[in-house]
Amino acid sequence: MDVAHQPPRRRGRPPRQREDLTETRELLLRAGLEVLTEKGFSSTGIDEILGRVSVPKGSFYHYFDSKEAFGLDLIQRYGEFFARKLDRHLRNAALSPLSRLRAFVADATDGMARHDFRRGCLIGNLGQETGTLPESFRARLKETFEDWQARFGACLVEAQKAGELAPDADTARLAAFFWIGWEGAVLRAKLERSARPLEVFAQFFFAGLPKG
């Protein structure tokens, strides 16, 4: 091929093989999730993430066009991961609908405890920083919360059909209320390094549901 007609190469050092690209990109995303569930996006430098996986800084831009693009990919990755976690609980036909919601709360609480309450919710963490984040993050974060709320609301509708929840209960508003309160409880649990805020919120949420 004529050198003058060769396609432009992306910035950064190219991987030796296609498999290397996929593997390294995955490692960067995993490291980013670990760091950003503990710290804020604005205060986290690319060097810290690269250091966790021993990737040269020049290579980062071969996998992501910018830190903003990296952040958007992290939001999508975390949102999909958490949606699968929700579905695993909320579609568990072996439990009644409200028992599924309680199982999710217990599992999420145990997950925070395993990391000594140092890691929280990536989406909630980023939501606290919206004033300093790229505008593109705002819509993606809102979409993620709305997706989680819809899954939660669908389970509440099943609770109505099962007679666990009053037929006139506004399931969409209850689902929104849960996520607004739960994210606050997660933030407080990180602050106190304790499950107590999660337990208090869950206790009052379930006690306040209008019974069928």
Side-chain angles (χ1 to χ4, degrees), residues 7-209:
R9 296 170 64 182
R10 296 189 66 183
R11 290 185 293 163
R13 303 172 188 172
R16 291 187 300 274
Q17 299 176 357
R18 185 175 298 274
E19 292 79 6
D20 293 342
L21 187 152
T22 301
E23 180 180 354
T24 303
R25 189 176 189 281
E26 184 68 23
L27 288 173
L28 288 168
L29 287 169
R30 289 180 183 177
L33 289 174
E34 289 177 3
V35 173
L36 294 180
T37 50
E38 296 179 16
K39 302 171 60 176
F41 184 82
S42 301
S43 63
T44 300
I46 295 299
D47 288 344
E48 180 176 356
I49 295 169
L50 295 172
R52 292 202 176 198
V53 292
S54 301
V55 173
K57 187 170 186 177
S59 296
F60 177 84
Y61 295 104
H62 183 81
Y63 305 104
F64 305 96
D65 290 333
S66 63
K67 186 181 178 184
E68 178 178 349
F70 179 60
L72 289 171
D73 280 357
L74 287 175
I75 294 172
Q76 180 175 347
R77 174 65 63 89
Y78 188 86
E80 292 172 349
F81 154 76
F82 210 84
R84 291 193 298 271
K85 183 185 184 76
L86 281 170
D87 286 347
R88 189 169 65 249
H89 289 292
L90 305 188
R91 296 181 179 179
N92 181 5
L95 298 176
S96 72
L98 290 188
S99 293
R100 298 173 206 171
L101 300 182
R102 289 189 173 92
F104 159 72
V105 167
D107 184 38
T109 302
D110 289 345
M112 287 196 72
R114 281 196 300 274
H115 297 286
D116 298 321
F117 298 97
R118 295 179 184 277
R119 295 184 187 177
C121 171
L122 174 71
I123 308 303
N125 288 356
L126 292 176
Q128 296 289 320
E129 297 185 75
T130 50
T132 60
L133 295 178
E135 188 61 28
S136 59
F137 282 34
R138 185 185 302 273
R140 190 71 61 85
L141 292 169
K142 184 172 180 289
E143 290 170 3
T144 302
F145 275 131
E146 288 174 347
D147 175 67
W148 294 353
Q149 286 176 197
R151 294 169 194 269
F152 212 83
C155 192
L156 288 171
V157 169
E158 290 191 45
Q160 284 180 316
K161 294 177 180 178
E164 292 185 300
L165 188 64
D168 60 346
D170 189 333
T171 56
R173 288 177 68 85
L174 286 171
F177 174 77
F178 175 85
W179 284 107
I180 291 169
W182 179 255
E183 289 296 334
V186 168
L187 180 65
R188 186 71 175 266
K190 281 185 65 181
L191 176 67
E192 298 183 7
R193 300 281 169 83
S194 165
R196 181 66 177 163
L198 303 173
E199 294 167 350
V200 168
F201 172 75
Q203 177 185 351
F204 278 88
F205 174 79
F206 288 111
L209 290 176

